[in-house]
Amino acid sequence: MSALSPEAASAPSGGTFDGVVSHGNWIRDMHPLNVAVVLASISLLALATPRPVGLVSGCVAFLGIAVAAGVGGSFARLYAKLVVGVGLVLFVLRAAFVHGNHVLFELGPLAPTWEGVREGTTFALVVMALCGALTLYFVLVPMKTFMLALELKGMPPQATYILLASFQAITDLGRSARTVMDAQKSRGIETEGNLWVRARAFVPILAPVFITALNQTEERAIALDARAFNSGIPHTHVLQLRPAPAWERAATALTAAACLATIGAGLLWT
Amino acid sequence: MDLATLRDVTFTYAYAEMPALEGVTLQLQRGQLYGVVGINGSGKSTLCSLLRGLIPHFHQGTLEGTVEILGKDLGEWDAAELSRTIGCVFDNPFTQISGIKDTVFEEIAFGLENLGVSRSDMLDRVTSVSEQMGITALLRKNPNELSGGQRQKVAFASIIAMDSEVLVIDEPTSQLDPQSSHAVFEIIADLKARGKSIVLVEHKIDLMAQFADRLVVMRSGEVVAEGPTAQVLASPAMDAADVPRPEVTDLAFALEAVGKGLGCVPVTRREAEAAIATRMRGTQIHADRVA
Amino acid sequence: MSTQSLISRYGRLTIFMIPIGIAINFVGGQLALLLKLPVYLDSIGTILVGALCGGIPGALVGLVSNGINSITSPPTLAFGILNVMFGLLAGWLGRRGVFTVLWKTLASAVPFALIGGFLGALITLWVFGGLAVGGGALVVGALMAAGLDVTTANFVAQVPMDFLDKVPTVLAVYVVLRGIPRRIFAKLPLGEVYLRAKGVTPAPVPTASQPTPGGLR
Ligand SMILES: Nc1ncnc2c1ncn2[C@@H]1O[C@H](COP(=O)(O)OP(=O)(O)OP(=O)(O)O)[C@@H](O)[C@H]1O
Ligand SMILES: [Mg+2]
């Protein structure tokens, strides 16, 4: 949900939008860019330290952070989905197909090897360490706060518009597509049955939805201009990011330094 | 200085066969509430686009004649400055929401953000506008999940929050019930009372009769009448343009046709009531005398 | 005419087309899943915006689509370059009027599929050692089980699969393009191509002044 989530709504500001965006949690209230630095550092650190211990610790660290931020449940669910849908697949394919000398067992044409299992584990963990950072980031930081942080760093508002409008357009178009699909179904157009029948339903459902959306761009342009979007005046912002306290900046710097030091040491070592 | 001066303006949208405006000559004064009426496709929205400078800055086409907005030739206006000076809301509430804000509060504040208004001013203005529009209960809702009518109110609130000198409003009540429509018209009247110049397109003729200072009647791209509301409503231009009159005006004409004219042409319910009351009193006196 | 006014004259709707293109990619992909079609159909928006607004906006649609997708499915990020290439190619082909004629549009499925198949296979090989995730991976797995080596299996699986995906994709693009009214074409960078194909001469330059920077784009 949004930064102005129910917790924020019952904030002491008493029903007005005065004050800064707050989730009432010290991790979630961190500056979006600091969160990015910390998570990226952990990810890199996990990759740079001895395997597979480093990688596993990285993944565990993400879980720990999520729990501390009070989003343990939702992150764990997403992460579990990735572990099964991505990690496991990457692992199984390697375990099954990477050649090696230590064949574990034979099953028809397949001969999983110890080397394959090892490579599969490492590769899956590497991917999970990278995915974890990305997934956790967007569980912790609402898109609009992230965009605000970037805009305050000088990103043009047009870029923010494109990104945020995309998310809304996905919701809106998805909804219209469902409506049209139901309407088509009730008019007797089949959306089930053999492949050819289903394939033929695709264009009649989507074309009208897409065309309507494209037609509306004209009015959207006018509406945005009516809001002085192109005023040429530097924009101000109704949402405010909490200024990062000293401890937050120190922690961020420390994590980044630890990451750089480890990578640097690793490079010197070899 | 006038709000707008149009001299013999003809505009044809690019790739269109017919001009959408033809030979339009209009003089619009400041501080007035102009109502624009006409049947579908008569060019009302096109006139709005022209007054707002979307023609020729945004819509391509051939523009002939001269257009002056606030004393300056339309072509000389900077598009950004024009967007700040003339607020506008178009009729489709589903495209008048920015689509990038997830609370009504931020949606209304969006235009103010773009104008660089300070945060404390922003909070004040959003609060006062939403109270005025009666949408404080919506402030925390997601504007993209609202009904058409609610969106229309939010879109309108977003524009009046920007406090521009001129407002061009295209069918602001198309999705609203009679009660809300009336409330929106009262807000518009209030804006006028505070010195804004307003051009308002609307099909609800009874509300127009009650609130508009002057009416512009359009038919297939031409302006067939412009003048004080009551006078225009009584004129044959309304028939020519196929625009219905207020019920009470029709009633007065019907009475006149059977030789029982009210002696005046009422355009609002109140005027009609007054005229009929006078008549009734007259009848009463007459009856007393007979008795 | 300065670049700025060129942008304002021809690119006014582009920044509004990009989010729609991204949404089209998503909704197309979701419907393909919903109808249980064996194809992705998740690059319709990229090609559509490329065809209407040019290569760069098309590429942007591809890039952002994959970026957003990678939030929930991070390996998608590695294949972002494909979607970017589709956008660039669509812009290049669009400028040449390919999407105004049905058979040319259908023929364009070949270069799209070649990019998608070859580059897709190469990325799978480089980034994932030939063993990625998704429906394609199962086919690759099956081929490898049947005795092909990893490189061959990837190319053999991905090029035809991509062709199967791109034929309905470009067909959908063609259908949508036919449904866009002139007034929208008139405000798009490559709109003139489609208007000319409809037999209308491009609009005269507006009689009034040049649009100014800061105005509608
Ligand atoms: N952006 C545009 N591009 C091309 N033609 C247009 C455009 N907008 C309107 N037209 C055409 O111009 C003519 C006048 O339309 P306009 O929208 O001004 O009428 P209207 O009086 O506002 O109608 P309604 O009551 O339906 O809103 C119509 O023939 C319409 O098709
Ligand atoms: Mg209209």
Side-chain angles (χ1 to χ4, degrees), chain B residues 208-235:
Chain B
M208 284 296 223
Q210 189 180 343
F211 289 95
D213 296 312
R214 297 175 74 87
L215 274 192
V216 176
V217 185
M218 300 196 66
R219 186 195 55 195
S220 47
E222 292 174 48
V223 168
V224 291
E226 191 281 324
T229 302
Q231 204 175 313
V232 170
L233 286 175
S235 74

PDB file of all heavy atoms in Angstrom, chain B residues 208-235:
ATOM      1  N   MET B 208     -28.295  26.503 -15.842  1.00  0.00           N
ATOM      2  CA  MET B 208     -27.714  27.601 -16.609  1.00  0.00           C
ATOM      3  C   MET B 208     -28.566  28.854 -16.457  1.00  0.00           C
ATOM      4  O   MET B 208     -28.061  29.949 -16.239  1.00  0.00           O
ATOM      5  CB  MET B 208     -27.651  27.228 -18.090  1.00  0.00           C
ATOM      6  CG  MET B 208     -26.535  26.277 -18.401  1.00  0.00           C
ATOM      7  SD  MET B 208     -24.942  27.022 -18.073  1.00  0.00           S
ATOM      8  CE  MET B 208     -24.072  26.485 -19.517  1.00  0.00           C
ATOM      9  N   ALA B 209     -29.876  28.668 -16.570  1.00  0.00           N
ATOM     10  CA  ALA B 209     -30.791  29.811 -16.485  1.00  0.00           C
ATOM     11  C   ALA B 209     -30.656  30.498 -15.137  1.00  0.00           C
ATOM     12  O   ALA B 209     -30.699  31.722 -15.034  1.00  0.00           O
ATOM     13  CB  ALA B 209     -32.224  29.328 -16.686  1.00  0.00           C
ATOM     14  N   GLN B 210     -30.447  29.705 -14.125  1.00  0.00           N
ATOM     15  CA  GLN B 210     -30.372  30.272 -12.778  1.00  0.00           C
ATOM     16  C   GLN B 210     -29.034  30.965 -12.512  1.00  0.00           C
ATOM     17  O   GLN B 210     -28.977  31.992 -11.850  1.00  0.00           O
ATOM     18  CB  GLN B 210     -30.590  29.144 -11.772  1.00  0.00           C
ATOM     19  CG  GLN B 210     -30.760  29.637 -10.363  1.00  0.00           C
ATOM     20  CD  GLN B 210     -30.966  28.470  -9.404  1.00  0.00           C
ATOM     21  OE1 GLN B 210     -31.287  27.354  -9.818  1.00  0.00           O
ATOM     22  NE2 GLN B 210     -30.773  28.732  -8.138  1.00  0.00           N
ATOM     23  N   PHE B 211     -27.947  30.397 -13.039  1.00  0.00           N
ATOM     24  CA  PHE B 211     -26.630  30.876 -12.616  1.00  0.00           C
ATOM     25  C   PHE B 211     -25.850  31.713 -13.641  1.00  0.00           C
ATOM     26  O   PHE B 211     -25.061  32.560 -13.251  1.00  0.00           O
ATOM     27  CB  PHE B 211     -25.760  29.695 -12.182  1.00  0.00           C
ATOM     28  CG  PHE B 211     -26.188  29.085 -10.882  1.00  0.00           C
ATOM     29  CD1 PHE B 211     -27.031  27.984 -10.842  1.00  0.00           C
ATOM     30  CD2 PHE B 211     -25.745  29.630  -9.683  1.00  0.00           C
ATOM     31  CE1 PHE B 211     -27.416  27.428  -9.639  1.00  0.00           C
ATOM     32  CE2 PHE B 211     -26.134  29.073  -8.472  1.00  0.00           C
ATOM     33  CZ  PHE B 211     -26.969  27.964  -8.448  1.00  0.00           C
ATOM     34  N   ALA B 212     -26.026  31.432 -14.926  1.00  0.00           N
ATOM     35  CA  ALA B 212     -25.167  32.111 -15.907  1.00  0.00           C
ATOM     36  C   ALA B 212     -25.560  33.573 -16.062  1.00  0.00           C
ATOM     37  O   ALA B 212     -26.740  33.914 -16.040  1.00  0.00           O
ATOM     38  CB  ALA B 212     -25.250  31.392 -17.245  1.00  0.00           C
ATOM     39  N   ASP B 213     -24.547  34.438 -16.218  1.00  0.00           N
ATOM     40  CA  ASP B 213     -24.830  35.849 -16.498  1.00  0.00           C
ATOM     41  C   ASP B 213     -25.217  36.015 -17.952  1.00  0.00           C
ATOM     42  O   ASP B 213     -26.142  36.725 -18.284  1.00  0.00           O
ATOM     43  CB  ASP B 213     -23.590  36.705 -16.216  1.00  0.00           C
ATOM     44  CG  ASP B 213     -23.210  36.664 -14.758  1.00  0.00           C
ATOM     45  OD1 ASP B 213     -24.109  36.851 -13.923  1.00  0.00           O
ATOM     46  OD2 ASP B 213     -22.021  36.425 -14.456  1.00  0.00           O
ATOM     47  N   ARG B 214     -24.439  35.332 -18.794  1.00  0.00           N
ATOM     48  CA  ARG B 214     -24.694  35.452 -20.228  1.00  0.00           C
ATOM     49  C   ARG B 214     -24.615  34.066 -20.858  1.00  0.00           C
ATOM     50  O   ARG B 214     -23.960  33.170 -20.325  1.00  0.00           O
ATOM     51  CB  ARG B 214     -23.676  36.389 -20.883  1.00  0.00           C
ATOM     52  CG  ARG B 214     -23.758  37.828 -20.355  1.00  0.00           C
ATOM     53  CD  ARG B 214     -22.647  38.675 -20.935  1.00  0.00           C
ATOM     54  NE  ARG B 214     -22.857  39.031 -22.334  1.00  0.00           N
ATOM     55  CZ  ARG B 214     -23.548  40.096 -22.729  1.00  0.00           C
ATOM     56  NH1 ARG B 214     -24.122  40.905 -21.841  1.00  0.00           N
ATOM     57  NH2 ARG B 214     -23.698  40.363 -24.018  1.00  0.00           N
ATOM     58  N   LEU B 215     -25.304  33.916 -21.959  1.00  0.00           N
ATOM     59  CA  LEU B 215     -25.292  32.619 -22.638  1.00  0.00           C
ATOM     60  C   LEU B 215     -24.708  32.753 -24.034  1.00  0.00           C
ATOM     61  O   LEU B 215     -24.927  33.745 -24.722  1.00  0.00           O
ATOM     62  CB  LEU B 215     -26.712  32.068 -22.777  1.00  0.00           C
ATOM     63  CG  LEU B 215     -27.339  31.264 -21.647  1.00  0.00           C
ATOM     64  CD1 LEU B 215     -28.615  30.603 -22.166  1.00  0.00           C
ATOM     65  CD2 LEU B 215     -26.384  30.214 -21.109  1.00  0.00           C
ATOM     66  N   VAL B 216     -23.964  31.720 -24.421  1.00  0.00           N
ATOM     67  CA  VAL B 216     -23.472  31.597 -25.791  1.00  0.00           C
ATOM     68  C   VAL B 216     -24.155  30.364 -26.356  1.00  0.00           C
ATOM     69  O   VAL B 216     -24.079  29.288 -25.765  1.00  0.00           O
ATOM     70  CB  VAL B 216     -21.944  31.408 -25.811  1.00  0.00           C
ATOM     71  CG1 VAL B 216     -21.445  31.191 -27.231  1.00  0.00           C
ATOM     72  CG2 VAL B 216     -21.245  32.587 -25.152  1.00  0.00           C
ATOM     73  N   VAL B 217     -24.858  30.527 -27.467  1.00  0.00           N
ATOM     74  CA  VAL B 217     -25.564  29.388 -28.056  1.00  0.00           C
ATOM     75  C   VAL B 217     -24.831  28.972 -29.328  1.00  0.00           C
ATOM     76  O   VAL B 217     -24.558  29.812 -30.188  1.00  0.00           O
ATOM     77  CB  VAL B 217     -27.028  29.742 -28.389  1.00  0.00           C
ATOM     78  CG1 VAL B 217     -27.762  28.505 -28.891  1.00  0.00           C
ATOM     79  CG2 VAL B 217     -27.713  30.320 -27.175  1.00  0.00           C
ATOM     80  N   MET B 218     -24.528  27.689 -29.424  1.00  0.00           N
ATOM     81  CA  MET B 218     -23.780  27.215 -30.590  1.00  0.00           C
ATOM     82  C   MET B 218     -24.572  26.209 -31.403  1.00  0.00           C
ATOM     83  O   MET B 218     -25.352  25.429 -30.863  1.00  0.00           O
ATOM     84  CB  MET B 218     -22.466  26.577 -30.146  1.00  0.00           C
ATOM     85  CG  MET B 218     -21.577  27.540 -29.394  1.00  0.00           C
ATOM     86  SD  MET B 218     -19.887  26.955 -29.271  1.00  0.00           S
ATOM     87  CE  MET B 218     -19.375  27.004 -30.979  1.00  0.00           C
ATOM     88  N   ARG B 219     -24.342  26.260 -32.705  1.00  0.00           N
ATOM     89  CA  ARG B 219     -24.933  25.270 -33.596  1.00  0.00           C
ATOM     90  C   ARG B 219     -23.952  24.999 -34.733  1.00  0.00           C
ATOM     91  O   ARG B 219     -23.492  25.938 -35.372  1.00  0.00           O
ATOM     92  CB  ARG B 219     -26.251  25.772 -34.180  1.00  0.00           C
ATOM     93  CG  ARG B 219     -26.966  24.700 -34.992  1.00  0.00           C
ATOM     94  CD  ARG B 219     -28.059  25.288 -35.842  1.00  0.00           C
ATOM     95  NE  ARG B 219     -27.534  26.355 -36.691  1.00  0.00           N
ATOM     96  CZ  ARG B 219     -28.297  27.233 -37.327  1.00  0.00           C
ATOM     97  NH1 ARG B 219     -29.583  27.216 -37.189  1.00  0.00           N
ATOM     98  NH2 ARG B 219     -27.757  28.159 -38.094  1.00  0.00           N
ATOM     99  N   SER B 220     -23.626  23.771 -34.950  1.00  0.00           N
ATOM    100  CA  SER B 220     -22.642  23.312 -35.938  1.00  0.00           C
ATOM    101  C   SER B 220     -21.489  24.308 -36.142  1.00  0.00           C
ATOM    102  O   SER B 220     -21.257  24.800 -37.240  1.00  0.00           O
ATOM    103  CB  SER B 220     -23.301  22.941 -37.260  1.00  0.00           C
ATOM    104  OG  SER B 220     -24.211  23.937 -37.659  1.00  0.00           O
ATOM    105  N   GLY B 221     -20.807  24.579 -35.063  1.00  0.00           N
ATOM    106  CA  GLY B 221     -19.582  25.371 -35.126  1.00  0.00           C
ATOM    107  C   GLY B 221     -19.782  26.873 -35.141  1.00  0.00           C
ATOM    108  O   GLY B 221     -18.824  27.628 -35.106  1.00  0.00           O
ATOM    109  N   GLU B 222     -21.051  27.299 -35.204  1.00  0.00           N
ATOM    110  CA  GLU B 222     -21.286  28.732 -35.233  1.00  0.00           C
ATOM    111  C   GLU B 222     -21.902  29.200 -33.925  1.00  0.00           C
ATOM    112  O   GLU B 222     -22.614  28.448 -33.267  1.00  0.00           O
ATOM    113  CB  GLU B 222     -22.238  29.082 -36.385  1.00  0.00           C
ATOM    114  CG  GLU B 222     -21.608  28.868 -37.746  1.00  0.00           C
ATOM    115  CD  GLU B 222     -22.624  29.082 -38.851  1.00  0.00           C
ATOM    116  OE1 GLU B 222     -23.329  30.115 -38.813  1.00  0.00           O
ATOM    117  OE2 GLU B 222     -22.713  28.222 -39.738  1.00  0.00           O
ATOM    118  N   VAL B 223     -21.627  30.451 -33.598  1.00  0.00           N
ATOM    119  CA  VAL B 223     -22.293  31.033 -32.438  1.00  0.00           C
ATOM    120  C   VAL B 223     -23.549  31.713 -32.954  1.00  0.00           C
ATOM    121  O   VAL B 223     -23.473  32.655 -33.731  1.00  0.00           O
ATOM    122  CB  VAL B 223     -21.368  32.046 -31.720  1.00  0.00           C
ATOM    123  CG1 VAL B 223     -22.158  32.847 -30.705  1.00  0.00           C
ATOM    124  CG2 VAL B 223     -20.229  31.308 -31.049  1.00  0.00           C
ATOM    125  N   VAL B 224     -24.719  31.197 -32.571  1.00  0.00           N
ATOM    126  CA  VAL B 224     -25.956  31.762 -33.110  1.00  0.00           C
ATOM    127  C   VAL B 224     -26.546  32.835 -32.208  1.00  0.00           C
ATOM    128  O   VAL B 224     -27.393  33.604 -32.643  1.00  0.00           O
ATOM    129  CB  VAL B 224     -27.017  30.670 -33.407  1.00  0.00           C
ATOM    130  CG1 VAL B 224     -26.568  29.808 -34.582  1.00  0.00           C
ATOM    131  CG2 VAL B 224     -27.274  29.806 -32.192  1.00  0.00           C
ATOM    132  N   ALA B 225     -26.110  32.883 -30.955  1.00  0.00           N
ATOM    133  CA  ALA B 225     -26.585  33.952 -30.090  1.00  0.00           C
ATOM    134  C   ALA B 225     -25.630  34.137 -28.931  1.00  0.00           C
ATOM    135  O   ALA B 225     -24.981  33.181 -28.491  1.00  0.00           O
ATOM    136  CB  ALA B 225     -27.983  33.644 -29.554  1.00  0.00           C
ATOM    137  N   GLU B 226     -25.517  35.369 -28.468  1.00  0.00           N
ATOM    138  CA  GLU B 226     -24.742  35.644 -27.264  1.00  0.00           C
ATOM    139  C   GLU B 226     -25.402  36.832 -26.605  1.00  0.00           C
ATOM    140  O   GLU B 226     -25.723  37.824 -27.280  1.00  0.00           O
ATOM    141  CB  GLU B 226     -23.296  35.963 -27.631  1.00  0.00           C
ATOM    142  CG  GLU B 226     -22.308  36.009 -26.462  1.00  0.00           C
ATOM    143  CD  GLU B 226     -22.344  37.309 -25.653  1.00  0.00           C
ATOM    144  OE1 GLU B 226     -22.547  38.383 -26.241  1.00  0.00           O
ATOM    145  OE2 GLU B 226     -22.194  37.236 -24.420  1.00  0.00           O
ATOM    146  N   GLY B 227     -25.677  36.734 -25.325  1.00  0.00           N
ATOM    147  CA  GLY B 227     -26.311  37.857 -24.656  1.00  0.00           C
ATOM    148  C   GLY B 227     -26.717  37.490 -23.246  1.00  0.00           C
ATOM    149  O   GLY B 227     -26.425  36.393 -22.779  1.00  0.00           O
ATOM    150  N   PRO B 228     -27.424  38.405 -22.567  1.00  0.00           N
ATOM    151  CA  PRO B 228     -27.878  38.127 -21.207  1.00  0.00           C
ATOM    152  C   PRO B 228     -28.745  36.868 -21.200  1.00  0.00           C
ATOM    153  O   PRO B 228     -29.552  36.662 -22.111  1.00  0.00           O
ATOM    154  CB  PRO B 228     -28.710  39.361 -20.852  1.00  0.00           C
ATOM    155  CG  PRO B 228     -28.254  40.427 -21.790  1.00  0.00           C
ATOM    156  CD  PRO B 228     -27.816  39.746 -23.035  1.00  0.00           C
ATOM    157  N   THR B 229     -28.569  36.063 -20.163  1.00  0.00           N
ATOM    158  CA  THR B 229     -29.194  34.744 -20.134  1.00  0.00           C
ATOM    159  C   THR B 229     -30.701  34.770 -20.437  1.00  0.00           C
ATOM    160  O   THR B 229     -31.169  34.056 -21.329  1.00  0.00           O
ATOM    161  CB  THR B 229     -28.941  34.090 -18.768  1.00  0.00           C
ATOM    162  OG1 THR B 229     -27.538  34.028 -18.584  1.00  0.00           O
ATOM    163  CG2 THR B 229     -29.516  32.686 -18.721  1.00  0.00           C
ATOM    164  N   ALA B 230     -31.434  35.610 -19.711  1.00  0.00           N
ATOM    165  CA  ALA B 230     -32.889  35.615 -19.869  1.00  0.00           C
ATOM    166  C   ALA B 230     -33.286  35.964 -21.291  1.00  0.00           C
ATOM    167  O   ALA B 230     -34.180  35.336 -21.880  1.00  0.00           O
ATOM    168  CB  ALA B 230     -33.504  36.605 -18.888  1.00  0.00           C
ATOM    169  N   GLN B 231     -32.577  36.950 -21.839  1.00  0.00           N
ATOM    170  CA  GLN B 231     -32.892  37.413 -23.180  1.00  0.00           C
ATOM    171  C   GLN B 231     -32.648  36.313 -24.207  1.00  0.00           C
ATOM    172  O   GLN B 231     -33.463  36.054 -25.083  1.00  0.00           O
ATOM    173  CB  GLN B 231     -31.986  38.610 -23.465  1.00  0.00           C
ATOM    174  CG  GLN B 231     -32.498  39.556 -24.513  1.00  0.00           C
ATOM    175  CD  GLN B 231     -31.552  40.755 -24.587  1.00  0.00           C
ATOM    176  OE1 GLN B 231     -31.176  41.330 -23.559  1.00  0.00           O
ATOM    177  NE2 GLN B 231     -31.138  41.107 -25.787  1.00  0.00           N
ATOM    178  N   VAL B 232     -31.487  35.620 -24.053  1.00  0.00           N
ATOM    179  CA  VAL B 232     -31.142  34.563 -25.012  1.00  0.00           C
ATOM    180  C   VAL B 232     -32.121  33.401 -24.902  1.00  0.00           C
ATOM    181  O   VAL B 232     -32.566  32.848 -25.901  1.00  0.00           O
ATOM    182  CB  VAL B 232     -29.696  34.082 -24.789  1.00  0.00           C
ATOM    183  CG1 VAL B 232     -29.401  32.831 -25.599  1.00  0.00           C
ATOM    184  CG2 VAL B 232     -28.713  35.184 -25.150  1.00  0.00           C
ATOM    185  N   LEU B 233     -32.486  33.068 -23.671  1.00  0.00           N
ATOM    186  CA  LEU B 233     -33.385  31.925 -23.483  1.00  0.00           C
ATOM    187  C   LEU B 233     -34.749  32.175 -24.118  1.00  0.00           C
ATOM    188  O   LEU B 233     -35.422  31.257 -24.555  1.00  0.00           O
ATOM    189  CB  LEU B 233     -33.550  31.619 -21.991  1.00  0.00           C
ATOM    190  CG  LEU B 233     -32.346  30.945 -21.329  1.00  0.00           C
ATOM    191  CD1 LEU B 233     -32.574  30.802 -19.833  1.00  0.00           C
ATOM    192  CD2 LEU B 233     -32.061  29.598 -21.958  1.00  0.00           C
ATOM    193  N   ALA B 234     -35.129  33.425 -24.155  1.00  0.00           N
ATOM    194  CA  ALA B 234     -36.424  33.761 -24.733  1.00  0.00           C
ATOM    195  C   ALA B 234     -36.350  33.898 -26.251  1.00  0.00           C
ATOM    196  O   ALA B 234     -37.375  33.920 -26.919  1.00  0.00           O
ATOM    197  CB  ALA B 234     -36.937  35.059 -24.115  1.00  0.00           C
ATOM    198  N   SER B 235     -35.123  33.969 -26.783  1.00  0.00           N
ATOM    199  CA  SER B 235     -34.986  34.281 -28.209  1.00  0.00           C
ATOM    200  C   SER B 235     -35.193  33.042 -29.076  1.00  0.00           C
ATOM    201  O   SER B 235     -35.053  31.913 -28.617  1.00  0.00           O
ATOM    202  CB  SER B 235     -33.598  34.859 -28.464  1.00  0.00           C
ATOM    203  OG  SER B 235     -32.653  33.816 -28.408  1.00  0.00           O
TER     204      SER B 235
END
